């Protein structure tokens, strides 16, 4: 899966333990802020009927691939099409000019390959699940040869070594449908989906500070939408990065937004993942989630995102800041209507 700030890759085991303590085997679990669908994929693999939601188009495509699409239906058709797409000649156009020449996220040679493949996918008119598998393969291939530190707010001054490697498509690791039933990927605002989704447990991993996922991954949003948006700045960000704003990226609005979202849920168990660098303090979250529920809090220390180790540099590459702290704490708030007979495991 693509490089992603806030990824729960290293916390998956803890999250699954908490879900297992709060919901029965084969339960329906809602992953309300799915991102790259690492948690949703792990839930599907563990046998849960999973509903993954995210309002960004790239995240919805990834969730459709890994959570909704089933291997037994789509693996072989996708494999054949990807082999054909890999053989296409490069085709440089708007995408290459914008993100590989005006900006330098991908080497122009790979940008032209991406552009040819994306145009071919658009021309296929494939069923939504198959198209999502193909788009995810392309996203992952582009991510493997990008020239960034992981975020698309900036790019390397000189090409990263991986950016000089040729783009290679791979079939995503699709999962079979779980016995619990067909899984689903949604593309909606969290509060609205919380009010309508039927589930036994909801897992919430909301944005927790000012960093917008749309701005951080605007190139992937454009690659999926394929809409040639107006762009601005050195980073060539989509202009809707200025208007598609989330309450969860606002210090003032995040508390009421999360409270409304939690209140809208119609399920007996809720797990919220939140970081100790977030806008909301642990005490605020305990008060919000513990009202009328039994609450356990699991603390998981872990290393911060790699960007914290790089320090702060100006546009000329000179270091002008200091490296901050290298570890933080991830909290899992496990809130249930009934006291758990099998408590959620606590961090060592």
């Amino acid at each position: 899966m693509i490089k992603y700030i806030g990824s729960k890759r290293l916390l998956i085991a803890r999250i699954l333990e908490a879900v297992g303590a709060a919901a029965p085997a084969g339960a329906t679990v809602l992953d309300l802020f799915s991102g790259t669908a690492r948690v949703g994929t792990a839930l599907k693999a563990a046998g849960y009927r999973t509903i993954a939601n995210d309002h960004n188009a790239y995240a919805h495509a990834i969730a459709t691939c890994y959570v909704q699409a089933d291997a037994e239906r789509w693996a072989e058709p996708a494999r054949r099409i990807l082999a054909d797409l890999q053989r296409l000649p490069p085709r440089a156009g708007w995408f290459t000019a914008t993100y590989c020449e005006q900006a330098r996220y991908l080497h122009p040679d790979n940008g032209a390959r991406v552009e040819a493949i994306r145009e071919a996918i658009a021309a296929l008119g494939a069923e939504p699940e198959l198209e999502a598998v193909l788009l995810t393969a392309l996203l992952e291939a582009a991510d493997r040869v990008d020239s960034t530190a992981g975020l698309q707010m900036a790019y390397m001054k000189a090409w990263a070594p991986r950016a000089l490697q040729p783009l290679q498509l791979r079939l995503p690791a699709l999962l079979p449908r779980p016995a619990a039933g067909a899984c689903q990927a949604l593309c909606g605002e969290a509060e609205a989906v919380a009010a309508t989704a039927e589930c036994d447990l909801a897992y919430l991993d909301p944005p927790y500070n000012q960093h917008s996922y749309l701005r951080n991954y605007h190139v992937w949003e454009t690659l999926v939408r394929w809409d040639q948006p107006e762009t601005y700045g050195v980073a060539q960000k989509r202009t809707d990065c200025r208007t598609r704003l989330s309450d969860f990226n606002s210090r003032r609005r995040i508390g009421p937004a999360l409270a409304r979202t939690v209140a809208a849920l119609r399920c007996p168990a809720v797990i919220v993942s939140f970081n100790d660098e977030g806008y909301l303090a642990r005490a605020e979250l305990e008060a919000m989630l513990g009202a009328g529920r039994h609450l356990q809090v699991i603390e998981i220390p872990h290393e911060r995102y790699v960007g914290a180790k790089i320090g702060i540099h100006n546009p000329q590459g000179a270091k002008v800041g200091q490296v901050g702290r290298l570890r933080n704490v991830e909290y899992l708030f496990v809130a249930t209507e009934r006291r758990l007979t099998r408590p959620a495991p606590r961090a060592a």
Side-chain angles (χ1 to χ4, degrees):
M1 295 185 182
I2 65 173
K3 298 181 290 292
Y4 209 64
I5 190 170
S7 169
K8 295 300 181 285
R9 179 176 62 88
L10 299 178
L11 305 179
I12 291 294
R14 297 286 190 182
I15 294 167
L16 290 179
E17 287 175 348
V19 171
T28 297
V29 179
L30 169 65
D31 180 5
L32 194 55
F33 300 84
S34 62
T36 55
R38 284 191 183 274
V39 172
T41 302
L43 290 167
K44 180 178 181 178
Y48 296 101
R49 179 180 173 269
T50 305
I51 304 170
N53 173 73
D54 200 289
H55 68 164
N56 288 321
Y58 72 86
H60 179 240
I62 294 170
T64 302
C65 170
Y66 283 112
V67 176
Q68 181 170 316
D70 297 321
E72 60 271 28
R73 174 67 180 89
W74 296 116
E76 286 310 312
R79 192 190 311 276
R80 292 194 296 270
I81 295 171
L82 289 172
D84 291 338
L85 294 173
Q86 182 68 56
R87 291 190 287 268
L88 290 174
R91 179 180 174 182
W94 180 90
F95 183 91
T96 306
T98 304
Y99 298 120
C100 309
E101 295 170 357
Q102 297 173 47
R104 290 161 55 92
Y105 296 107
L106 298 167
H107 191 278
D109 290 348
N110 280 325
R113 294 185 181 98
V114 167
E115 196 147 9
I117 293 167
R118 183 63 183 90
E119 287 285 1
I121 292 172
L124 283 174
E127 295 179 65
E129 290 181 6
L130 176 57
E131 181 175 73
V133 174
L134 302 176
L135 288 175
T136 299
L138 181 57
L139 279 175
E140 292 179 347
D143 186 71
R144 287 192 293 270
V145 295
D146 78 341
S147 192
T148 75
L151 301 180
Q152 294 163 357
M153 299 294 283
Y155 42 85
M156 298 295 190
K157 187 175 181 181
W159 292 114
R162 65 175 176 270
L164 304 178
Q165 300 297 315
L167 180 121
Q168 296 289 330
L169 295 173
R170 302 175 188 169
L171 177 69
L174 303 179
L175 294 170
R177 178 175 296 187
C183 299
Q184 186 178 15
L186 304 175
C187 188
E189 296 300 326
E191 186 177 344
V193 172
T196 57
E198 298 283 350
C199 61
D200 302 299
L201 181 147
Y203 170 75
L204 281 63
D205 179 22
Y208 56 82
N209 58 24
Q210 76 276 17
H211 297 298
S212 160
Y213 285 98
L214 176 61
R215 290 195 295 271
N216 284 344
Y217 303 100
H218 62 93
V219 179
W220 299 158
E221 186 76 359
T222 297
L223 185 55
V224 169
R225 288 182 178 271
W226 208 234
D227 54 355
Q228 297 190 15
E230 293 184 18
T231 61
Y232 68 95
V234 174
Q236 296 294 321
K237 292 193 288 289
R238 303 169 55 92
T239 55
D240 60 0
C241 289
R242 292 169 163 164
T243 57
R244 286 172 57 195
L245 304 177
S246 170
D247 287 344
F248 292 93
N249 295 128
S250 164
R251 185 183 296 275
R252 179 174 59 86
R253 299 192 300 273
I254 186 174
L258 184 58
R260 291 193 307 269
T261 301
V262 171
L265 290 165
R266 299 179 296 169
C267 55
V270 179
I271 297 176
V272 174
S273 179
F274 212 81
N275 191 284
D276 69 344
E277 294 182 306
Y279 282 150
L280 298 176
R282 173 175 174 167
E284 295 176 276
L285 289 158
E286 288 178 343
M288 181 190 303
L289 297 166
R293 298 184 181 91
H294 298 282
L295 182 65
Q296 292 187 42
V297 183
I298 305 167
E299 296 184 10
I300 310 172
H302 65 100
E303 291 188 356
R304 294 180 72 204
Y305 171 65
V306 67
K309 303 177 182 179
I310 297 173
I312 301 171
H313 298 76
N314 66 19
Q316 289 72 45
K319 188 174 181 182
V320 295
Q322 298 296 321
V323 174
R325 61 174 178 157
L326 299 181
R327 295 182 68 80
N328 57 14
V329 178
E330 190 79 18
Y331 297 114
L332 288 180
F333 298 86
V334 184
T336 53
E337 289 181 354
R338 297 183 179 181
R339 188 178 299 278
L340 298 181
T341 56
R342 179 162 61 100
R346 296 186 179 276

